Amino acid sequence: MALLRSRRTMFILAGLVIVGLVVSGGIGLVRSMSTVAQTGPAPGQGQPGGGGEGEQTDPLEAPEAGTLGQAPDGLEYSSEDDDVECNPAECVRIVSVMGTDEDTDVSSDEAVEAVYDQLRGQDWGQLLPQGAEEPSDVPQSETIMTDGEVMVADATEHGSDGAVAVLMLGNANPPAN
């Protein structure tokens, strides 16, 4: 017991505890960084016949603009390969909605409404913000359209030169961890 009352012994024990905490924290940090660095698809995902109906897309590949189908009358879609933004968890494609004529005077809300109406006609579903019960409770620009594989959201506030509206396309399935 006298050994435990010694200041020297207490300093040695405290030092060992601190070293142990630093080492275990370092190991945890290295493991978490290696997990984040692994961005490949999970087994069976992104491969034909990989355990799901149809072919699933890799969560790190943004959906193509063609998934929206034909643009509504008076509008057209524009998306370049560099219009893809990725982070370690997901990739999204930015699609500009533009008027076909310079004389076309369509507001961004009208353009988003036209696109959403056309997607609804193609059997896409509409996801409402939390707390909303009816689509008429919120502006369409605050909702998200989905076909179960792709999600479309209004991103007009991000703007694009010459675009009436801007849409953001992402995968509806959560990325594999």
Side-chain angles (χ1 to χ4, degrees):
M1 284 306 254
L3 188 61
L4 289 176
R5 291 187 193 143
S6 164
R7 289 185 112 192
R8 183 176 180 192
T9 304
M10 294 308 283
F11 284 128
I12 291 173
L13 285 175
L16 289 173
V17 168
I18 291 171
V19 168
L21 289 173
V22 169
V23 168
S24 66
I27 290 171
L29 180 64
V30 168
R31 284 185 180 170
S32 68
M33 288 175 58
S34 67
T35 301
V36 169
Q38 295 173 353
T39 58
Q45 191 168 21
Q47 301 169 355
E53 289 184 26
E55 184 176 336
Q56 295 181 347
T57 59
D58 185 353
L60 295 177
E61 291 180 16
E64 295 295 324
T67 59
L68 294 173
Q70 280 293 90
D73 291 337
L75 300 173
E76 63 183 17
Y77 300 131
S78 172
S79 178
E80 303 294 325
D81 287 339
D82 61 345
D83 289 340
V84 175
E85 297 177 14
C86 294
N87 64 33
E90 65 184 350
C91 286
V92 295
R93 179 174 305 279
I94 304 299
V95 177
S96 299
V97 180
M98 309 185 44
T100 54
D101 297 325
E102 290 184 15
D103 297 335
T104 305
D105 187 26
V106 178
S107 72
S108 62
D109 288 337
E110 291 171 335
V112 170
E113 185 174 328
V115 171
Y116 278 19
D117 286 343
Q118 182 165 346
L119 292 176
R120 240 185 264 107
Q122 298 172 8
D123 293 328
W124 284 55
Q126 188 172 17
L127 302 174
L128 302 175
Q130 192 171 15
E133 294 182 17
E134 295 292 324
S136 60
D137 292 346
V138 293
Q140 286 197 30
S141 60
E142 294 180 17
T143 64
I144 297 173
M145 299 297 292
T146 183
D147 67 350
E149 293 181 18
V150 176
M151 295 177 73
V152 178
D154 178 24
T156 303
E157 66 273 0
H158 292 83
S160 180
D161 292 335
V164 176
V166 178
L167 301 174
M168 185 171 53
L169 277 66
N171 292 315
N173 51 345
N177 290 334

